[in-house]
Amino acid sequence: VQLQASGGGLVQAGGSLRISCAASGRSFRSYAVGWFRQAPGKEQEFVAAIRWSGGSTYYADSVKGRFTISGDNAKNTVYLRMNSLKPEDTAVYYCAAGQGIILSNLNNWHAYGYWGQGTQVTVSS
């Protein structure tokens, strides 16, 4: 499966942004899709994940209540809606997909086999 992330940009603190991850080559059905981010000089960080079958969602504590991950079956696309953005949310955001990922591993980027190219999100103070 090929993943294409898009929708990043520059936004002021407190603003909102929605980024997308579109899949081609294969349906997201039976996959888990996750968003990770990496800020300059920092390690990759789990943000959110969704299990396509059943629609269960999972979030990092740092974004819980502000970010929402969702999927559109018809468009084979996963979205990450980001509200109340903070300067510390500034990072390159990557989407990833994988099959057979157990619950405890959804926040582990090693568990995902497919990655998009990343989209830059910059939050100004």
Side-chain angles (χ1 to χ4, degrees), residues 7-103:
L10 174 64
V11 63
Q12 288 189 327
S16 298
L17 202 62
R18 189 182 76 167
I19 55 178
S20 304
C21 178
S24 61
R26 186 171 292 185
S27 168
F28 270 143
R29 196 171 300 173
S30 81
Y31 281 79
V33 179
W35 284 99
F36 292 77
R37 65 187 181 187
Q38 188 166 24
K42 295 188 176 181
E43 292 189 354
Q44 202 163 49
E45 176 189 18
F46 169 75
V47 177
I50 183 169
R51 279 183 160 172
W52 205 255
S53 176
S56 302
T57 57
Y58 310 90
Y59 298 93
D61 288 343
S62 59
V63 306
K64 203 171 292 183
R66 299 188 297 122
F67 290 12
T68 303
I69 188 170
S70 62
D72 185 326
N73 278 319
K75 296 182 178 180
N76 213 28
T77 298
V78 170
Y79 302 101
L80 185 68
R81 175 70 179 183
M82 303 180 289
N83 296 328
S84 303
L85 282 161
K86 306 174 182 180
E88 51 263 43
D89 294 318
T90 294
V92 177
Y93 283 70
Y94 298 90
C95 62
Q99 290 180 298
I101 303 175
I102 61 175
L103 178 60

